[in-house]
Amino acid sequence: MFDKLDAVASRFEEVNHKLMQPDVVNDQAQYTSLMKEYKRLEPIAEKYRAYRAAKQAYEEAREMLEEGGLDKELRELAQEQYDTNKQQIDEEAQELKLLLLPRDPNDEKNVIVEIRGGAGGEEAALFAGSLYRMYTMYAESQGWNCEVLGMSETELGGFKEISFSIDGEGAYSKLKFESGVHRVQRVPETETQGRIHTSTVTVAVLPEAEEVEFDLDPKDLQIDVFRSSGAGGQHVNKTSSAIRVTHLPTGMVVECQDERSQYKNKDRALKVLRSRLLDIKVREQNDRIASERKLQVGTGDRSERIRTYNFPQGRVTDHRIGLTLYKLDAVLNGDLAELIDALITFDQAEKLQASGES
């Protein structure tokens, strides 16, 4: 581990030096690339610096105690320095192990979230709307930006499906574990007998693909233009601005009709298509890895029931890690930090165990 840390510290200093060179500052592409590397290496380099400082203080205190000849006050100070820094060394070493774990290359990317009502008809569509609100409120608390890419509304104000982008640093790293089936148990507003219904909603969180990462061949695309439908006032059905893109090799279809501009709808549709195709490629790679070592969190299996929102008991349960919180209202108002942090911690623990076995 320490050979890796020495290499990281050396590279961090090298990158820091390069960032101050005029030729690098004037080269936007190189400067941007180095800044990304700097931000990635900085927390490791700083933590390693703190570890080495604690290690040195610990060794100095140990030598003083071993040599003896200290009066009572100095011995107590040396013992305190010894104990404090020994604990800090252990804590810093554990954190360094986490920082050295292989990073998901998509962690810093923006995301596209797709929410679809599943079993439960109108009740599922209404809960899809609740989840959309939950994620946008969480995004707002993180200082991220949201933009609707496409939606299909129901008469009662729910969504058969809705897709939206979330732009912000580390968005994928925090939201990637949200992919899967979300189950809701509650008495629907339309239920006259007071019976509890169970409905499901499927969530897919896709890392946003850059054009350079997934190049779409125009020959593989069929692009159709049609008139928008649904709510939209005087502009509905008067201009052919809606876009349907079909990816011929896979049969995947993406529609966008929320913008009045045909060009904006096309750009949005291609963004979604590119991200879906990249996600398929990534999941195929993960499946190969998972076949060798089963991961408990982050498999990306969207047929898996991952969470239950129980309204009568006011609780939320994440089935993957067995965590139950009795703060349903707060969670649906975007207070996802406790759930997300627990999922990240569990995933890190699994990876640490796996790295120890390999």
Side-chain angles (χ1 to χ4, degrees), residues 19-173:
L19 285 169
M20 294 185 287
Q21 303 305 309
D23 59 325
V24 172
V25 175
N26 294 327
D27 185 340
Q28 190 62 41
Q30 186 180 7
Y31 183 80
T32 300
S33 176
L34 286 171
M35 273 303 299
K36 286 183 179 180
E37 186 176 6
Y38 179 91
K39 288 181 179 180
R40 180 176 63 82
L41 297 176
E42 185 179 26
I44 305 175
E46 288 186 351
K47 185 64 64 178
Y48 188 37
R49 191 179 298 120
Y51 172 86
R52 287 185 296 187
K55 180 79 169 175
Q56 182 177 348
Y58 163 79
E59 294 292 349
E60 290 174 354
R62 182 180 60 80
E63 290 176 6
M64 290 174 65
L65 290 170
E66 288 178 353
E67 288 175 2
L70 302 175
D71 60 33
K72 180 181 178 182
E73 185 176 352
L74 280 176
R75 187 169 63 254
E76 288 177 352
L77 285 172
Q79 187 65 50
E80 181 182 356
Q81 179 177 322
Y82 176 89
D83 294 338
T84 299
N85 285 285
K86 185 177 188 303
Q87 180 179 351
Q88 185 176 348
I89 288 170
D90 293 340
E91 292 173 355
E92 305 281 10
Q94 185 65 20
E95 291 181 32
L96 282 168
K97 288 179 183 178
L98 291 175
L99 288 170
L100 287 175
L101 286 174
R103 290 171 55 86
D104 186 332
N106 294 318
D107 271 354
E108 296 307 313
K109 288 186 178 179
N110 301 325
V111 300
I112 291 174
V113 183
E114 298 181 332
I115 303 175
R116 293 181 175 83
E122 186 65 50
E123 170 65 2
L126 288 170
F127 192 62
S130 297
L131 290 185
Y132 166 66
R133 178 177 176 273
M134 178 182 78
Y135 289 127
T136 53
M137 292 185 73
Y138 175 72
E140 183 180 346
S141 73
Q142 300 296 305
W144 299 338
N145 297 315
C146 298
E147 182 182 14
V148 173
L149 302 175
M151 68 172 75
S152 175
E153 296 180 86
T154 64
E155 292 182 359
L156 295 183
F159 296 111
K160 293 180 181 177
E161 60 180 88
I162 181 168
S163 61
F164 56 101
S165 62
I166 298 180
D167 296 353
E169 186 174 346
Y172 186 73
S173 69

Side-chain angles (χ1 to χ4, degrees), residues 313-351:
Q313 298 179 20
R315 64 174 169 82
V316 180
T317 299
D318 195 290
H319 303 289
R320 296 164 295 181
I321 55 176
L323 174 65
T324 295
L325 303 175
Y326 287 90
K327 55 178 205 177
L328 177 61
D329 289 343
V331 168
L332 290 176
N333 282 324
D335 185 6
L336 290 171
E338 190 170 354
L339 278 166
I340 287 173
D341 289 346
L343 287 162
I344 291 173
T345 299
F346 187 90
D347 184 56
Q348 289 176 336
E350 289 290 306
K351 288 177 178 175

Side-chain angles (χ1 to χ4, degrees), residues 1 8-9 64 110 121 159 165 183 187 194 215 230 246 269-270 284 314 317 331-332:
M1 180 176 86
V8 167
M64 290 174 65
N110 301 325
F159 296 111
S165 62
R183 183 175 69 170
V187 179
D215 187 28
T246 304
L270 291 176
E284 287 175 348
T317 299
V331 168
L332 290 176

Side-chain angles (χ1 to χ4, degrees), residues 18 56 73 124 146 165 170-171 206 214 223 227 241 249 254 316 331:
K18 285 184 176 180
Q56 182 177 348
E73 185 176 352
C146 298
S165 62
L206 317 176
F214 206 101
I223 299 177
R227 290 183 177 181
S241 60
V254 179
V316 180
V331 168

Side-chain angles (χ1 to χ4, degrees), residues 193-245:
Q193 303 297 319
R195 292 173 299 186
I196 297 173
H197 287 223
T198 298
S199 304
T200 61
V201 172
T202 301
V203 174
V205 179
L206 317 176
E208 186 176 301
E210 303 291 337
E211 289 188 35
V212 294
E213 291 179 293
F214 206 101
D215 187 28
L216 291 173
D217 189 338
K219 297 194 296 293
D220 291 339
L221 304 178
Q222 177 181 315
I223 299 177
D224 299 305
V225 180
F226 59 99
R227 290 183 177 181
S228 299
S229 61
Q234 61 179 332
H235 298 283
V236 172
N237 295 326
K238 291 192 176 181
T239 59
S240 296
S241 60
I243 293 289
R244 180 186 298 111
V245 179

